[in-house]
Amino acid sequence: MTIGILGGGQLGYMLALAGYPLDFHFRFLDPSPQAPVGRIAPRVTAEYTDYEALDKFAHGLALVTYEFENVPVEAARHLATHVPVFPPPQALEAAQDRLNEKALFQKLGIPTTEFAAVNSPAELDAAIGKLGLPGVLKTRRLGYDGKGQWVLRRPADVAELKKEFPSAPLILENFVNFSRELSLLAVRGRGGETAFYPLVENHHRGGILRLSLAPAPQLSDSLQREAENQARQILEALDYVGVLAVELFESGGRLLANEMAPRVHNSGHWSIEGAVASQFENHLRAVAGLPLGETRTLGHCAMLNLIGEVPEPGELLAVSDTHLHLYGKSLRPGRKVGHVTVRADSARELSARLKQLPGFFQREEFCMPLPLPVSLSNYKYDT
Ligand code: AMP
């Protein structure tokens, strides 16, 4: 079976690596001739809006999926007239616009931060009048890794922003004083069956994910259940098939949904070594109509993103149960070029192993050193 994937970045790369043992073949479409998947699979270089290229791409495919959530919805809908497309285009549509996404959460009774649409300086004033400050103003579309976001703490920040008011449609959100950021990786099969990975704790620097801890330290059954119930509602409302990532804030012991990604997600990379079936394998199983794989963890993992630089591999790989993934991209500041997963049988052992990592990793950019009480207090999943 040949699966078509829209987008040819590292997520597509890891999907293909997970799919080859299942005898899946892959064909990618990406506008960039440098897309990393070119190393391991046939790749069509074309714009997502080039319908002639899309038709040629779709020829002979069993199904199409995506690794990039900003594929134009019309392109996904067009492909869906020839070949099954999973997750369904309506999921792409819901996730591409922060206002639609938050409205969906609200409709489903999923707690989220207060928000208001903003299209002009006057509407910003009205939204601040309603929500108050501090707030976070975001572009409704195409923002990622903290781009297209402005934190407004005081009236002076608002005055400054108005000097060069963004021309795109915007959303103002209440600033959430969260205690931590979490994400839930969920998967739904073609027959409606679901599975969930344990909540992951995420740490960012400069708006980019740097470190994920899986399972999240101090994870209680009730928090996990709350997250699963929220994700299940989204999966069912969208008749979803594949992996869905839901990003959450934990605040006052409750979860607030921030956003979702209709694809495999950076905060799920640990599952390659840390779960019985990885998020990549499970996405493929789901879209291909196979039984879902087990999401059970194999111990404790820390996933560290490599942003714009890579370590010397020898010293890193000398640390037991440490795994290096490089995506074959050229090094550029701010670019995700690889990741490292450190796995251990207990949180205590994981903490010790992280301390053995080379000096390259013992820096604030990697959120090191981990606060000890956090890394050692995982009562539920500890062995
Ligand atoms: P997003 O693109 O929505 O994932 O936002 C990027 C990062 O900005 C998040 O991971 C949070 O650290 C922070 N952030 C986003 N929205 C809010 C909010 N409403 N309140 C506080 N922090 C936020």
Side-chain angles (χ1 to χ4, degrees):
M1 160 188 313
T2 303
I3 296 178
I5 301 188
L6 301 177
Q10 65 268 20
L11 300 177
Y13 192 88
M14 289 183 273
L15 277 169
L17 294 180
Y20 289 133
L22 293 166
D23 201 25
F24 293 144
H25 297 252
F26 295 91
R27 189 185 304 158
F28 286 86
L29 185 135
D30 192 290
S32 165
Q34 267 102 43
V37 292
R39 279 168 66 183
I40 59 164
R43 181 195 55 197
V44 175
T45 303
E47 294 299 326
Y48 298 117
T49 46
D50 180 346
Y51 284 26
E52 219 180 294
L54 286 178
D55 290 347
K56 241 164 95 185
F57 168 73
H59 188 75
L61 295 178
L63 63 99
V64 168
T65 186
Y66 19 79
E67 62 106 58
F68 174 64
E69 78 259 39
N70 288 319
V71 169
V73 176
E74 303 71 40
R77 291 228 158 90
H78 176 78
L79 281 167
T81 61
H82 302 296
V83 57
V85 175
F86 299 118
Q90 71 258 23
L92 205 57
E93 190 167 35
Q96 278 178 357
D97 181 327
R98 291 180 190 275
L99 191 69
N100 290 349
E101 186 176 62
K102 290 225 156 49
L104 175 70
F105 295 156
Q106 216 170 39
K107 189 177 109 193
L108 298 174
I110 296 172
T112 185
T113 178
E114 275 188 84
F115 62 93
V118 170
N119 293 302
S120 64
E123 283 186 19
L124 177 61
D125 289 336
I128 292 172
K130 201 170 113 203
L131 306 183
L133 289 178
V136 186
L137 187 69
K138 302 179 179 177
T139 54
R140 280 171 56 177
R141 292 176 164 273
L142 298 174
Y144 68 97
D145 288 346
K147 294 191 175 71
Q149 300 195 9
W150 300 266
V151 177
L152 305 175
R153 294 189 186 278
R154 49 190 84 80
D157 298 335
V158 181
E160 188 60 33
L161 181 90
K162 282 186 182 169
K163 287 186 191 159
E164 226 178 304
F165 199 78
S167 56
L170 304 163
I171 178 172
L172 181 72
E173 299 176 10
N174 245 334
F175 188 90
V176 181
N177 252 325
F178 52 80
S179 50
R180 59 175 172 170
E181 294 189 67
L182 299 166
S183 57
L184 187 79
L185 274 297
V187 57
R188 185 168 183 266
R190 279 166 77 157
E193 65 282 21
T194 53
F196 304 90
Y197 291 90
L199 279 162
V200 175
E201 182 179 299
N202 299 315
H203 297 262
H204 300 80
R205 292 287 181 271
I208 305 183
L209 180 68
R210 295 306 306 231
L211 167 73
S212 292
L213 296 171
Q218 292 169 299
L219 177 56
S220 66
D221 280 337
S222 63
L223 203 67
Q224 177 72 24
R225 232 184 352 256
E226 192 180 330
E228 290 185 10
N229 287 339
Q230 293 185 3
R232 192 176 291 108
Q233 297 218 55
I234 302 168
L235 292 172
E236 278 165 16
L238 296 172
D239 198 14
Y240 200 89
V241 175
V243 166
L244 172 81
V246 186
E247 295 182 35
L248 304 147
F249 297 132
E250 186 178 2
S251 176
R254 291 299 310 275
L255 293 174
L256 295 178
N258 176 35
E259 61 174 350
M260 61 184 179
R263 53 167 170 79
V264 287
H265 194 256
N266 195 172
S267 67
H269 291 359
W270 62 274
S271 63
I272 296 175
E273 290 87 11
V276 175
S278 74
Q279 62 162 348
F280 301 103
E281 179 178 342
N282 254 335
H283 182 74
L284 295 171
R285 286 185 182 219
V287 298
L290 294 172
L292 299 182
E294 272 193 62
T295 49
R296 187 162 47 85
T297 56
L298 303 169
H300 294 250
C301 288
M303 190 284 310
L304 300 120
N305 265 339
L306 298 172
I307 313 288
E309 53 176 355
V310 296
E312 197 279 303
E315 215 188 332
L316 170 71
L317 295 175
V319 180
S320 185
D321 221 340
T322 293
H323 308 269
L324 175 63
H325 298 256
L326 296 177
Y327 309 144
K329 290 164 131 182
S330 53
L331 304 185
R332 225 188 289 140
R335 195 175 201 204
K336 290 176 181 168
V337 292
H339 75 266
V340 169
T341 297
V342 184
R343 206 205 62 86
D345 289 336
S346 69
R348 183 178 293 275
E349 191 179 30
L350 177 63
S351 183
R353 219 155 255 177
L354 288 170
K355 288 200 197 106
Q356 291 165 18
L357 293 181
F360 178 92
F361 292 95
Q362 307 299 339
R363 291 182 283 157
E364 162 57 17
E365 288 106 295
F366 290 101
C367 314
M368 294 290 154
L370 285 188
L372 259 191
V374 172
S375 51
L376 291 181
S377 58
N378 199 319
Y379 61 87
K380 183 183 170 205
Y381 289 92
D382 219 342
T383 49

